[in-house]
Amino acid sequence: MKKIAVFTSGGDSPGMNACIRAVVRTAIYRGSEVYGIYRGYEGMIEGDIKKLQSHSVSNIVQRGGTILKSARSTEFRTPQGRKKAYDMLNAHGIEGLVAIGGDGTFTGAKLFFEEYGIPTVGCPGTIDNDIFGTDYTIGFDTAVNTALEAIDKIRDTAAAHDRVFFVEVMGRDAGFIAVESGIGGGAEFVMVPETKSNLDNIVKSFKNLRKSKSSSIIVVAEGEEEGSAEMVMNKVKEQIKDKDREFKVTTLGHIQRGGNPTARDRVLASRCGMAAVEGLLAGEKNCMAGVMNQQVVYTSFADCIGKTKPLIADHLKLIEILSI
Ligand code: F6P
């Protein structure tokens, strides 16, 4: 395989640059040419493709975002869009792809492989950590630490004013960020889409919290079925009917997607990037390179997107016990 191309797609995540760097340098080290496709599938359709050298990825290992930029392409979802993308790759002589992204990226990559057969290996790049086939995704650790830093600050002001804060963290369909930032930030409750949150129970245990606890933090995952942190707050407020208690909401939003990647994310990104190229050269295709139990593993795109990664079983109990 003489020409490999790499792209980032979907929501960016800290560590994507470290992954691009690893892909580019591993490919060159192994004697292949490597091309960057800009703006994900959009750039593939438009032929926004440039050759990368080792120096093209200098000084990016520590940077958030993605030098290749990212996009969520609607055109690639159409057969016509994918045909255009295939023609562009053909025109550049691209023989293999490394796709860095999350479930949307892999859904597209799987379909594209089935239609056109270009070998593709993915790297798990999403802050949500909701990809089966890897213990952690690239960017998750950084996002959790960003959320945690914010929760620590919110806790200071919550305690100073004896207030209850509902903090909304990202995670469209998954509660991993909520759970880990909740444990690390000492939250009283965490609400996640994976489990049905019984508001009545929350209100009941809220009333039972020891009297000395005048402030509380409730972390709400974006995908929580009871609604946004603001909606949850209003429902809880309605039931508690405590006029002396003040309730506030903070939505952390996209700050969780930016910033310099942590050491964990840089190492994971570098390992996955190298494994993706080495996998492609060894004949892997239609799969993702992830890390489970410290070992690199290749998991089919079908499983990555079709199987659900569960939350760590005892984490929610841990929060309940530690919040008394
Ligand atoms: O998938 C990562 C993620 O940050 C989700 O947590 C969030 O729901 C979504 O992307 C936001 O996407 P966008 O930046 O396109 O609004």
Side-chain angles (χ1 to χ4, degrees), residues 16-231:
M16 279 185 162
N17 280 326
C19 191
I20 295 166
R21 171 178 176 268
V23 169
V24 169
R25 295 207 169 153
T26 306
I28 293 170
Y29 184 87
R30 296 290 181 205
S32 298
E33 285 181 22
V34 61
Y35 290 75
I37 302 171
Y38 290 77
R39 293 177 294 110
Y41 292 118
E42 280 295 299
M44 199 184 282
I45 291 168
E46 290 166 21
D48 196 354
I49 302 171
K50 294 189 185 75
K51 190 169 177 187
L52 299 174
Q53 311 289 350
S54 186
H55 63 76
S56 314
V57 291
S58 293
N59 199 23
I60 65 165
V61 70
Q62 80 285 14
R63 280 167 50 193
T66 158
I67 58 160
L68 294 179
K69 299 192 176 284
S70 193
R72 300 191 197 271
S73 173
T74 44
E75 197 178 353
F76 194 77
R77 292 185 192 171
T78 67
Q80 296 83 345
R82 293 193 293 278
K83 168 81 172 70
K84 279 193 211 164
Y86 175 70
D87 290 343
M88 281 298 174
L89 294 179
N90 239 348
H92 285 81
I94 304 295
E95 297 163 288
L97 292 171
V98 176
I100 307 171
D103 54 354
T105 305
F106 297 160
T107 303
K110 176 177 176 289
L111 195 54
F112 195 53
F113 175 78
E114 286 162 0
E115 288 174 346
Y116 294 103
I118 298 184
T120 305
V121 176
C123 294
T126 167
I127 62 165
D128 289 356
N129 198 32
D130 57 347
I131 302 290
F132 183 88
T134 190
D135 290 336
Y136 294 103
T137 56
I138 299 160
F140 171 68
D141 189 58
T142 309
V144 167
N145 279 291
T146 301
L148 198 54
E149 203 183 322
I151 290 170
D152 287 348
K153 289 177 176 159
I154 289 168
R155 183 173 281 290
D156 288 345
T157 175
H161 286 267
D162 292 344
R163 284 171 169 165
V164 177
F165 268 83
F166 290 77
V167 183
E168 184 174 308
V169 299
M170 272 189 165
R172 194 175 22 207
D173 305 307
F176 291 96
I177 298 177
V179 165
E180 293 217 1
S181 63
I183 293 172
E188 273 64 34
F189 300 103
V190 170
M191 299 176 72
V192 292
E194 287 86 345
T195 59
K196 194 157 175 46
S197 307
N198 186 333
L199 273 183
D200 291 342
N201 279 349
I202 292 180
V203 170
K204 209 187 300 161
S205 37
F206 207 87
K207 287 178 177 162
N208 290 340
L209 283 180
R210 63 186 149 83
K211 292 282 169 288
S212 58
K213 225 177 204 192
S214 51
S215 66
S216 299
I217 305 277
I218 295 151
V219 179
V220 183
E222 182 190 8
E224 161 61 33
E225 62 177 24
E226 288 288 346
S228 65
E230 179 144 28
M231 289 160 84

